[in-house]
Amino acid sequence: LFSHGQIQHPGKSTYTNKCAQCHGDNGEGIKSLTPPLANADFAMQNFDSLPCWIKNGMNHPIKVNGVEYDQPMYPNEIDEIQTANVINFMSSEFFNCDSSISSIWVKQKWKGCE
């Protein structure tokens, strides 16, 4: 629906403005510094944690597709609607699945963030 140039996915601009600087325009990551999002096993296996990582960042080593990354991810100042949109965008573009999570789901996940 969104990839044929007619209508841009609502999460694409947020991704471009808030995420692509570190994770790459196509989710490819940056060498050994920033993990990829495209086909990222860690992100797909920990999908329910994405809202917390986006909101609060992450500051511990992780292994993505067999490669260890130990750079901090900084928090993003985006609301629950933008967060839902960017996760749905990443799902369709990088995880090869379509999610239709809502801002309500994001807010529920935020309540469980440490």
Side-chain angles (χ1 to χ4, degrees):
L1 176 67
F2 296 112
S3 60
H4 299 296
Q6 304 284 340
I7 301 171
Q8 179 173 296
H9 192 290
K12 183 173 175 54
S13 61
T14 302
Y15 179 83
T16 300
N17 293 329
K18 300 286 187 177
C19 312
Q21 177 179 338
C22 296
H23 290 288
D25 290 335
N26 300 305
E28 69 275 17
I30 301 173
K31 298 190 181 357
S32 61
L33 296 175
T34 310
L37 294 172
N39 301 308
D41 56 357
F42 186 80
M44 290 186 276
Q45 290 161 5
N46 297 282
F47 189 84
D48 284 359
S49 298
L50 290 174
C52 292
W53 299 339
I54 292 168
K55 181 180 178 70
N56 299 326
M58 181 191 297
N59 197 9
H60 58 80
I62 61 170
K63 191 174 274 192
V64 179
N65 300 339
V67 178
E68 189 161 307
Y69 297 88
D70 194 12
Q71 288 290 332
M73 176 177 158
Y74 298 100
N76 278 284
E77 297 288 324
I78 60 176
D79 66 25
E80 65 272 13
I81 295 168
Q82 291 170 308
T83 300
N85 285 340
V86 81
I87 291 171
N88 288 328
F89 170 75
M90 292 187 314
S91 293
S92 67
E93 291 294 311
F94 305 139
F95 306 157
N96 201 24
C97 69
D98 284 321
S99 67
S100 56
I101 62 157
S102 67
S103 58
I104 295 166
W105 182 83
V106 168
K107 286 182 93 165
Q108 288 172 337
K109 295 300 173 190
W110 281 354
K111 288 179 184 171
C113 295
E114 294 174 10

